[in-house]
Amino acid sequence: VMEDMFRSATEHVLAHCVEDVDLFHRHVTPGHRDTVEAMLNKSFPVITYTEAIEILHRHSEKFTFPTDWGCDLKTEHEKYLVKHCGNVPVFVTDYPYDLKPFYARDNQDHPKHTAAAVDLLVPGVGELCGGSLREERLNLLMARLKQVGLEDTYSWYLDLRRFGSVPHGGFGLGFERYLQCILGVDNIKDVIPFPRFSHSCLL
């Protein structure tokens, strides 16, 4: 679903916003159109978080942040993984359980212990989409909330499982990050729909 959404949205933008896209691809990031076309013409590879960590460990260059199993992937890691996979969007799945929200589905794959979660990493940006399957099993959800001390705060959430649910999931896409990706803009501040500049916000 993520891949289809990215493709259909990008094809629509390229077809219906020709002048705007061409302005960036011609004057801001010459040659970026080829990168976008490559993203649309190749299937997106899928790797697990564990495979991603192994790839990062084999990288000879020193990262600013550590790459031990269990660490949260930083932008420098995500951008390297994209380049390693051919400079096309790449899915990373099965993140460590402790890195994800309480509602992420437990893969029950000890000793690694991962969650059924996924991020879509894209060239020049890093993470574009993030999501997970939701934990539909009441007993596991209760145990997780108790573990993180949120059983009282989210008692209402448990009712969503207690009184009936189905296996389901969800994800979100960063709109500004998406514009960065397809236009080739480095700084996210330059794609905010409500631009900020000196004296533009009267307090």
Side-chain angles (χ1 to χ4, degrees):
V1 173
M2 285 184 191
E3 184 169 348
D4 288 346
M5 184 181 72
F6 179 90
R7 291 181 187 284
S8 61
T10 304
E11 287 166 358
H12 185 85
V13 169
L14 295 179
H16 294 89
C17 306
V18 179
E19 291 183 7
D20 293 326
V21 173
D22 189 54
L23 175 70
F24 283 90
H25 289 173
R26 184 172 297 180
H27 300 291
V28 180
T29 50
H32 189 68
R33 179 67 179 239
D34 294 337
T35 302
V36 176
E37 295 289 351
M39 287 190 273
L40 296 177
N41 293 329
K42 295 179 181 177
S43 60
F44 299 175
V46 180
I47 61 175
T48 65
Y49 171 89
T50 300
E51 291 169 331
I53 292 297
E54 291 170 356
I55 291 168
L56 295 171
H57 275 172
R58 289 196 300 268
H59 180 40
S60 58
E61 181 184 325
K62 297 291 184 183
F63 290 111
T64 303
F65 296 95
T67 58
D68 298 323
W69 199 97
C71 74
D72 202 2
L73 296 181
K74 304 296 183 184
T75 302
E76 62 174 345
H77 306 144
E78 294 169 344
K79 288 183 176 181
Y80 177 79
L81 290 169
V82 170
K83 286 182 182 177
H84 177 83
C85 293
N87 211 37
V88 296
V90 55
F91 289 105
V92 179
T93 67
D94 302 310
Y95 279 80
Y97 187 68
D98 290 337
L99 290 181
K100 292 302 173 182
F102 71 87
Y103 51 76
R105 195 175 200 274
D106 188 345
N107 282 333
Q108 294 186 297
D109 55 349
H110 297 283
K112 288 287 189 191
H113 201 193
T114 63
V118 60
D119 285 347
L120 176 61
L121 313 180
V122 295
V125 177
E127 181 186 340
L128 175 66
C129 297
S132 72
L133 295 180
R134 307 305 196 231
E135 185 57 80
E136 84 282 4
R137 297 162 292 185
L138 179 61
N139 61 324
L140 294 180
L141 189 58
M142 289 174 67
R144 176 65 164 165
L145 284 171
K146 185 174 183 180
Q147 175 192 1
V148 295
L150 294 173
E151 62 266 42
D152 291 334
T153 306
Y154 285 98
S155 59
W156 61 270
Y157 192 87
L158 292 173
D159 288 344
L160 299 175
R161 303 295 185 268
R162 188 174 286 117
F163 299 116
S165 181
V166 294
H168 63 287
F171 69 91
L173 174 144
F175 179 68
E176 289 85 1
R177 292 182 181 202
Y178 172 72
L179 291 179
Q180 279 186 278
C181 175
I182 64 170
L183 298 177
V185 177
D186 288 331
N187 195 324
I188 197 167
K189 293 178 183 177
D190 294 330
V191 291
I192 293 173
F194 305 99
R196 297 173 294 172
F197 51 91
S198 296
H199 310 296
S200 67
C201 182
L202 302 178
L203 297 177

